[in-house]
Amino acid sequence: MKIYQLIIHSVTVVTDSSIFEADIAVEEGKIVELTEVGILDAKAKTMINGSGLHLFPGVIDVHLHFNEPGRTAWEGFETGSASLAAGGVTTFFDMPLNSNPPTINRVEYDKKNELAKQKSIVDYRLWGGLVPNNLDDLQDLDEAGVIGFKAFMSASGTDDFVFSEDDTLLNGMKKIAELDGILAVHAESNKMVNELSQKALEEGRTSVRDYSEARPIESELEAVERILRFAEQTGCRIHICHVSSRKVIKRILQAKRAGIDVTVETCPHYLYFSLDEFEKIGELAKCAPPLRPRDEVDELWQALKAGEIDLVSSDHSPSLPELKKGETIFDVWGGISGCQSTLNVLLTEGYHKRNLALTDMVRLLSVQPAKRFKLYPEKGTIQIGADADFVLVDLNEEFTLKTEDLKYRHSISPYVGEKFKGKVKYTISRGVVVYDDKSDVSNR
Ligand SMILES: [Zn+2]
C-alpha cells in the first residue's frame, strides 16, 4: 500500500468556485490525490481526520513587515511566521521596510533572503524598495526574485526608507514596466498630510480623532489619482496598498474599467475597527491611513461583498512596545500588529455576520493574491499538483483572543480581548503541519 507524506480524510474543501467533501493525499509537499471521501486506498506518515472541519487554501498575506534584519527587537521571521501559521497563513510577502537597512539593493535582498530561509516556517517572498536614487538597483532586485517593488508617496514611519516624489515614481515605473514588474504604493498625499498634521499640532488638536482627520480620505484620493495617471503614462502595473475607504476604491474601479492594470487591497483593521474603537483603544490601533468612521467601515464591507476589492492583507507593522506610547497619538508608532487575526476577522465579521461567501473569502485571501503576483496555480488553490498549503478551520468554534495566544515578538495587538467565531485547527505548509491547535502551548 502506498505511504504518503500526509492524508486528510473527510474534510470539506473550499475553493473560490466550489465546496465539496474530499480525501486529500500529499507527497513531497504537493497535492497528489483529491478524491471522494472513502475511496483513497493509502496510508500516510501524518493522518488528519478532517470531519467537521473546512479546508481552505492557505492564506497569502501580500503585505507585512517582519523588520528583519536590523529591527528584530520589533519582530522577526521566526516569531512572525509562527504568528502567521497560527492564523492560517502559509505564504507572506515581506515589505522592504522596516528592516534596516531596507531592501533596496541586491546585497540587502540576499541578506534578508538568507535570514528568512533559515527562520521562516512558512513560504515567503520579498518586496524590493523603490526609493530616490536606486533606479539602477531595480533590475538586480528583479533578477534576485523580488515579488514586486514598493514605494511610499508620503513619509514612511522610519527615516531609512525615503518616500518618492513624482520624478522618482515616474522613472521607477518606466523601469519596472520594462521589467514587467509591479509597483505597490502607500498612497497618501505627503503635502496634505504634512500640512494638516502641522496645523493640528500648532492648534493643540492632538486627539485620536484629530489624528484621523489630519490624514483624510482626500489625501488617499489625491495620491491615488496621481499614481493612476503615472500608471497610464508608463504602462506600469500597480497595486494600491491598504485603502481605507470605498470612495478610493470607486476611483480605482473606474481606472480598471478604463484599462489601467491596477489592483487594490484593504486590511482587516479597516474592516473590524472604526474611529470609535480607535478612540477607545488608542495607541495600539494607530495606523496610516488611519481608522475611519463607522459608515466608512460599513461601506468597505459593501465594496468587499460586491467584488470591488481584489484582496485583503494584514499590513502587520509591529514595533517595540515603548514606541506605541507617546505624549499624544501623533508621537506613537503608526502600525498595527494583526497578521495572526486576518482569517478570524473575515470569518467572524464577514462569513458569520455579513454573509460573505466562503468561496469569496478564498478569492480574497488566496486566489487573487496568488494570481496577481503570478504564484497561481502553484499557490492559492486546491487541485492536484498545487502546493499542499492548507488551513483547516472549525467554523463554529468561538474564542476570545488572549495575550498568550499571540505569537508575535511582543504580545500586543488591538484584537486582544475580541471575540471571534471560527478557529484555526491546523495550518499546513507544503504538507508539513506548522500549526496544530491541540498541541498549541497557549491552550494548556
Ligand atoms: Zn505596510
Side-chain angles (χ1 to χ4, degrees):
M1 187 184 280
K2 181 96 186 137
I3 311 277
Y4 287 121
Q5 176 187 9
L6 167 74
I7 288 177
I8 303 170
H9 276 297
S10 314
V11 76
T12 306
V13 174
V14 186
T15 70
D16 65 332
S17 58
S18 60
I19 301 180
F20 55 94
E21 303 291 314
D23 287 346
I24 301 179
V26 173
E27 187 61 21
E28 290 180 3
K30 303 266 185 199
I31 301 172
V32 289
E33 295 209 48
L34 184 62
T35 68
E36 277 174 45
V37 173
I39 60 170
L40 193 62
D41 186 26
K43 283 199 156 34
K45 288 167 206 139
T46 306
M47 307 270 277
I48 292 176
N49 177 4
S51 65
L53 302 180
H54 282 68
L55 180 147
F56 303 89
V59 174
I60 300 174
D61 191 338
V62 310
H63 183 162
L64 52 72
H65 305 259
F66 281 165
N67 310 321
E68 185 160 5
R71 288 195 180 86
T72 45
W74 296 19
E75 187 66 277
F77 290 116
E78 201 176 324
T79 47
S81 66
S83 319
L84 294 178
V89 182
T90 53
T91 304
F92 69 90
F93 304 166
D94 186 66
M95 281 293 171
L97 71 162
N98 307 310
S99 49
N100 185 20
T103 318
I104 54 174
N105 57 48
R106 180 68 196 248
V107 172
E108 297 309 329
Y109 176 92
D110 288 341
K111 271 192 222 162
K112 185 186 270 191
N113 191 35
E114 204 45 54
L115 291 163
K117 203 188 291 175
Q118 284 166 25
K119 298 181 180 184
S120 179
I121 59 167
V122 297
D123 278 340
Y124 68 90
R125 295 292 291 273
L126 306 179
W127 289 93
L130 167 65
V131 292
N133 304 317
N134 83 330
L135 199 59
D136 294 337
D137 293 298
L138 302 183
Q139 182 154 359
D140 285 352
L141 284 165
D142 184 63
E143 284 165 8
V146 291
I147 198 75
F149 297 91
K150 169 77 180 287
F152 268 64
M153 298 178 76
S154 58
S156 79
T158 54
D159 46 20
D160 45 67
F161 194 89
V162 182
F163 83 94
S164 294
E165 300 280 8
D166 291 355
D167 57 336
T168 302
L169 290 170
L170 268 169
N171 292 328
M173 289 168 80
K174 274 182 213 152
K175 184 73 198 172
I176 293 167
E178 274 171 38
L179 298 168
D180 192 25
I182 185 166
L183 179 72
V185 285
H186 178 120
E188 284 183 292
S189 158
N190 196 56
K191 186 165 179 288
M192 206 181 288
V193 164
N194 270 349
E195 285 175 3
L196 289 171
S197 301
Q198 208 51 49
K199 194 156 180 285
L201 290 174
E202 278 165 20
E203 293 170 2
R205 290 183 290 110
T206 57
S207 71
V208 160
R209 189 166 290 267
D210 295 327
Y211 167 75
S212 182
E213 286 170 6
R215 304 186 85 106
I217 292 163
E218 290 71 29
S219 91
E220 291 183 66
L221 276 170
E222 190 282 325
V224 163
E225 196 62 51
R226 207 154 18 103
I227 204 73
L228 288 172
R229 199 166 69 239
F230 295 167
E232 195 174 17
Q233 280 170 29
T234 59
C236 182
R237 293 190 289 132
I238 56 171
H239 178 69
I240 315 281
C241 297
H242 47 54
V243 165
S244 71
S245 164
R246 193 183 196 182
K247 297 184 178 82
V248 182
I249 288 160
K250 291 274 188 210
R251 178 63 193 92
I252 295 168
L253 265 184
Q254 237 178 34
K256 272 186 190 174
R257 289 187 188 122
I260 293 177
D261 193 345
V262 55
T263 43
V264 59
E265 79 188 21
T266 191
C267 307
H269 40 266
Y270 300 116
L271 294 163
Y272 195 87
F273 299 113
S274 72
L275 184 51
D276 297 338
E277 283 83 42
F278 186 14
E279 288 186 303
K280 282 186 209 128
I281 299 168
E283 291 91 342
L284 288 183
K286 180 184 173 181
C287 57
L291 298 173
R292 302 299 185 194
R294 182 46 67 181
D295 56 335
E296 290 289 341
V297 177
D298 294 338
E299 283 286 313
L300 210 53
W301 275 107
Q302 293 303 319
L304 199 78
K305 289 186 70 177
E308 297 169 8
I309 298 174
D310 295 283
L311 57 98
V312 177
S313 60
S314 73
D315 193 12
H316 175 69
S317 184
S319 71
L320 293 172
E322 51 265 38
L323 293 178
K324 284 306 256 180
K325 298 192 177 99
E327 208 164 301
T328 77
I329 194 75
F330 284 82
D331 305 315
V332 309
W333 173 256
I336 285 179
S337 283
C339 68
Q340 199 175 316
S341 301
T342 303
L343 185 58
N344 294 133
V345 168
L346 286 195
L347 283 169
T348 305
E349 294 293 311
Y351 170 68
H352 286 295
K353 283 199 191 151
R354 293 179 176 84
N355 278 320
L356 177 72
L358 293 176
T359 47
D360 283 339
M361 205 181 72
V362 168
R363 177 174 50 78
L364 290 160
L365 295 179
S366 304
V367 176
Q368 292 281 69
K371 284 188 173 165
R372 183 54 166 164
F373 297 96
K374 301 183 176 175
L375 302 180
Y376 192 90
E378 208 167 10
K379 304 263 182 221
T381 189
I382 306 296
Q383 64 185 48
I384 289 178
D387 284 351
D389 296 344
F390 313 132
V391 50
L392 278 78
V393 171
D394 181 336
L395 286 181
N396 293 312
E397 188 173 333
E398 298 184 52
F399 70 101
T400 300
L401 187 72
K402 303 186 296 290
T403 297
E404 56 267 37
D405 296 331
L406 299 175
K407 311 290 179 197
Y408 310 136
R409 173 137 304 162
H410 303 287
S411 321
I412 50 174
S413 169
Y415 294 111
V416 167
E418 296 299 316
K419 269 200 184 131
F420 293 110
K421 188 169 183 182
K423 195 158 202 286
V424 173
K425 306 308 281 184
Y426 299 95
T427 302
I428 292 160
S429 170
R430 296 192 194 230
V432 176
V433 177
V434 289
Y435 178 79
D436 179 345
D437 191 48
K438 282 199 301 293
S439 58
D440 185 39
V441 281
S442 61
N443 284 338
R444 285 180 194 154

